[in-house]
């Protein structure tokens, strides 16, 4: 077994299975405490919530509780391995929500026979939560599922693989282009993958200035182009009349490669054919479309990012979802709208340009981190993420009328420890 495999299995198995547990937030030492926590005292908040459902936010953990829900149909880049196999990833998202934004998570793996069954299940349990983070649900079903749940639930519903990924990709991309001396408006972009993450990433890039005609999407059958008769409506939005048919055709002279597909799909030859200062976001997890080692050996001018924690430039939705939900929950937003997503992307992008505190450098082995080719996007351990992204999201929610609470008195948060100081 590889060292990483052994260590990862050991980490998950010991000293107790899994990565999360439920903790108590109130005293439970005496009979009096129990008479408040449970019968008879618990009847009082029950009566209050029955009278006014909004009081669930006052008397229960609802307002700080997010459901991370999957059907296991697109677990990272590992594919459709079923709901139970997705549980380590969903627990992992729970770890990240808690560690970076103080948000409690129940992970829920749904064994559903159809998108409608999944929608019905999630809708029925949605009242338990302050928000719903959908995860690792494959395209195109994920689009229909998210749309239905947004319509049917009055709490934020957010498919992380779509929007979390898009926000972080857009932030990193605009910075990488700036370093390469290029612009989003002119960049020729190849997106390998045409699923949940890819469609949403390309849509956000277009809304932030990329030209639809400059984007070539490639799926498992080749270039998404207008002569194809097998395209779903989401892919069809990106279909051009073009002679290009293969990934190699699309890559020739391209400025940007975004990989949201699977492992080892970008070859050295493909990378060689790209324009000067090529930007490669090989974001498939756990194994990228091209390894950074091969990319750097192939091109000295490549600006390289992956979805992984163990290389520079981690373009991963961990930089988005904890802080976006934090901001949304704290103003009790009814949804996470486009303005909130763009605000998050801009906050993230701008943070990368600020001097990096020593403690962040220390968490990454003491290396000097400075805006440039090896640091296009902040590191997950940077405490300023919660300060800036949650603040930007909360403000955008208020400005666009989806917040139901005013700007929080304890904002901007200085760290995750400030979450309950409000
Ligand atoms: N770094 C990050 O933050 C994130 C990374 N990802 C990564 O993105 C990838 C896709 O995830 P997601 O969008 O949720 O999954 P989906 O199942 O929704 O989409 C997968 C897409 O990959 C395409 N694909 C698969 N194999 C190939 C191939 N050989 N050549 C070209 N395209 C291929 C599929 O093509 P077809 O449509 O023809 O089936 C499909 O369009 C995963 O590797 C995942 O780890 C996802 C979210 C966040
Ligand atoms: C990071 C993530 O959400 C994924 O790879 O699916
Ligand atoms: Mg995911």
């Amino acid at each position: 077994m590889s060292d990483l495999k052994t260590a990862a299995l050991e980490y998950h198995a010991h000293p107790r299975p899994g990565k999360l547990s439920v903790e108590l937030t109130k005293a439970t030492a005496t009979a009096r405490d129990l008479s408040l926590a449970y019968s008879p005292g618990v009847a009082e908040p029950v009566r209050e919530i029955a009278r006014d459902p909004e009081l669930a936010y006052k008397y229960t953990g609802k307002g700080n509780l997010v459901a991370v829900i999957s059907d296991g149909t697109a677990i990272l880049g590992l594919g459709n391995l079923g709901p139970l196999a997705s549980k380590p990833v969903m627990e992992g998202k729970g770890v990240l929500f808690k560690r970076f934004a103080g948000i409690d998570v129940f992970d829920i793996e749904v064994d559903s026979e159809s998108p409608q069954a999944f929608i019905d299940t999630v809708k029925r349990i949605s009242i338990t939560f302050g928000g719903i983070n959908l995860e690792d649900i494959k395209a195109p079903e994920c689009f229909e599922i998210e749309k239905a749940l947004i319509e049917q639930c009055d709490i934020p519903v957010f498919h992380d693989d779509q929007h979390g990924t898009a926000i972080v990709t857009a932030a990193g991309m605009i910075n990488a282009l700036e370093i390469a001396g290029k612009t989003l408006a002119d960049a020729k972009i190849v997106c390998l993958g045409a699923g949940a993450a890819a469609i949403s990433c390309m849509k956000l890039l277009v809304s932030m200035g990329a030209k639809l005609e400059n984007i070539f999407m490639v799926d498992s059958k080749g270039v998404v182009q207008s002569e194809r008769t097998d395209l779903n409506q989401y892919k069809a939005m990106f279909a051009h009349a073009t002679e290009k048919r293969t990934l190699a055709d699309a890559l020739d002279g391209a400025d940007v490669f975004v990989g949201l597909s699977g492992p080892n799909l970008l070859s050295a030859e493909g990378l060689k054919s790209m324009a000067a200062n090529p930007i490669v976001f090989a974001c498939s997890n756990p194994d990228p479309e091209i390894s950074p080692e091969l990319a750097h050996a192939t091109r000295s001018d490549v600006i390289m990012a992956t979805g992984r924690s163990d290389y520079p430039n981690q373009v991963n939705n961990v930089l988005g979802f904890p802080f976006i939900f934090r901001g949304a929950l704290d103003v009790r937003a009814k949804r996470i709208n486009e303005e909130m997503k763009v605000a998050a992307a801009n906050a993230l992008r701008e943070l990368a340009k600020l001097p990096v505190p020593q403690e962040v450098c220390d968490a990454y082995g003491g290396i000097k981190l400075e805006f440039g080719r090896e640091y296009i996007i902040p590191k997950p351990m940077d405490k300023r993420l919660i300060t800036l992204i949650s603040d930007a999201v909360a403000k955008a929610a208020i400005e666009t009328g989806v917040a139901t609470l005013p700007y929080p008195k304890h904002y901007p948060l200085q760290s995750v420890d400030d979450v309950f100081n409000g």
Side-chain angles (χ1 to χ4, degrees):
M1 257 200 285
S2 72
D3 285 353
L4 182 70
K5 180 172 177 178
T6 310
L9 293 177
E10 177 73 15
Y11 179 91
H12 283 80
H14 301 293
R16 56 194 267 193
K19 296 175 289 216
L20 286 170
S21 76
V22 172
E23 64 186 11
L24 305 186
T25 60
K26 297 289 160 68
T28 53
T30 66
R32 167 81 179 157
D33 293 336
L34 291 192
S35 72
L36 297 176
Y38 195 44
S39 186
V42 72
E44 298 309 328
V46 169
R47 290 191 187 100
E48 289 294 291
I49 294 166
R51 184 177 61 75
D52 177 1
E54 277 296 295
L55 291 174
Y57 286 99
K58 182 170 183 185
Y59 295 120
T60 76
K62 175 179 166 91
N64 195 50
L65 183 62
V66 165
V68 172
I69 311 186
S70 185
D71 62 0
T73 52
I75 308 175
L76 310 175
L78 304 172
N80 184 351
L81 300 181
L84 186 58
S86 77
K87 191 166 170 62
V89 177
M90 302 313 128
E91 290 187 351
K93 296 281 172 179
V95 167
L96 302 171
F97 266 111
K98 186 75 174 189
R99 166 68 177 79
F100 293 123
I103 294 171
D104 297 316
V105 160
F106 289 169
D107 65 287
I108 298 173
E109 294 74 31
V110 182
D111 191 359
S112 56
E113 67 280 11
S114 66
Q116 191 57 50
F118 183 89
I119 292 165
D120 292 342
T121 303
V122 176
K123 164 74 175 95
R124 288 197 173 104
I125 61 171
S126 63
I127 54 167
T128 303
F129 303 99
I132 291 175
N133 182 95
L134 301 172
E135 191 69 42
D136 290 1
I137 302 170
K138 78 177 180 68
E141 293 82 356
C142 63
F143 302 120
E144 172 197 340
I145 287 170
E146 189 197 42
K147 181 168 180 284
L149 287 169
I150 288 173
E151 282 165 11
Q152 293 174 33
C153 301
D154 71 344
I155 54 174
V157 177
F158 179 87
H159 182 198
D160 175 40
D161 298 286
Q162 289 185 56
H163 316 298
T165 315
I167 288 162
V168 177
T169 301
M173 185 60 64
I174 294 168
N175 281 350
L177 284 164
E178 186 180 318
I179 291 162
K182 304 182 185 188
T183 64
L184 200 49
D186 293 331
K188 295 197 168 39
I189 300 171
V190 174
C191 180
L192 187 64
I199 297 275
S200 188
C201 282
M202 293 306 115
K203 278 168 83 171
L204 187 61
L205 286 182
V206 169
S207 82
M208 294 183 82
K211 299 247 171 57
L212 193 57
E213 61 266 29
N214 286 341
I215 296 177
F216 288 89
M217 204 172 254
V218 183
D219 68 8
S220 62
K221 310 234 169 37
V223 170
V224 169
Q225 44 83 16
S226 49
E227 285 182 13
R228 280 179 60 174
T229 53
D230 60 341
L231 300 178
N232 62 42
Q233 60 175 301
Y234 310 100
K235 292 181 185 181
M237 285 187 281
F238 291 92
H240 306 302
T242 173
E243 307 275 284
K244 297 179 197 287
R245 291 292 178 270
T246 65
L247 174 61
D249 296 341
L251 282 170
D252 193 13
D255 298 296
V256 170
F257 170 89
V258 178
L260 292 158
S261 51
N264 303 315
L265 294 170
L266 175 60
S267 65
E269 288 64 37
L271 176 54
K272 274 185 202 152
S273 75
M274 292 178 69
N277 287 311
I279 295 166
V280 173
F281 283 15
C283 293
S284 178
N285 288 307
D287 300 312
E289 282 77 2
I290 185 168
S291 73
E293 290 82 357
L294 178 56
H296 288 297
T298 304
R299 296 277 301 243
S300 59
D301 59 347
V302 67
I303 298 176
M304 177 75 204
T306 69
R308 297 170 53 128
S309 304
D310 51 356
Y311 290 102
N313 296 333
Q314 183 179 18
V315 172
N316 188 300
N317 49 35
V318 64
L319 290 169
F321 65 82
F323 316 106
I324 293 163
F325 268 95
R326 182 76 271 154
L329 292 176
D330 287 343
V331 295
R332 211 169 293 161
K334 291 294 172 199
R335 56 178 54 223
I336 295 171
N337 61 25
E338 290 310 303
E339 290 84 352
M340 293 158 77
K341 294 174 198 167
V342 170
N346 283 329
L348 186 56
R349 174 169 76 82
E350 286 157 15
L351 175 56
K353 297 184 177 173
L354 300 180
V356 182
Q358 189 58 42
E359 64 177 22
V360 180
C361 300
D362 290 345
Y364 290 88
I367 49 166
K368 185 161 171 48
L369 299 171
E370 196 173 34
F371 185 63
R373 287 172 171 265
E374 297 280 289
Y375 181 75
I376 59 171
I377 194 137
K379 297 285 190 190
M381 295 293 181
D382 196 324
K383 283 203 290 195
R384 299 169 301 172
L385 289 164
I386 197 168
T387 308
L388 298 171
I389 299 182
S390 302
D391 194 60
V393 169
K395 283 179 177 155
I398 292 168
E399 281 160 18
T400 55
V402 296
T404 59
L405 295 180
Y407 184 71
K409 288 200 185 68
H410 60 308
Y411 262 48
L413 299 165
Q414 294 310 305
S415 78
V416 66
D417 302 326
D418 278 357
V419 164
F420 296 107
N421 290 341

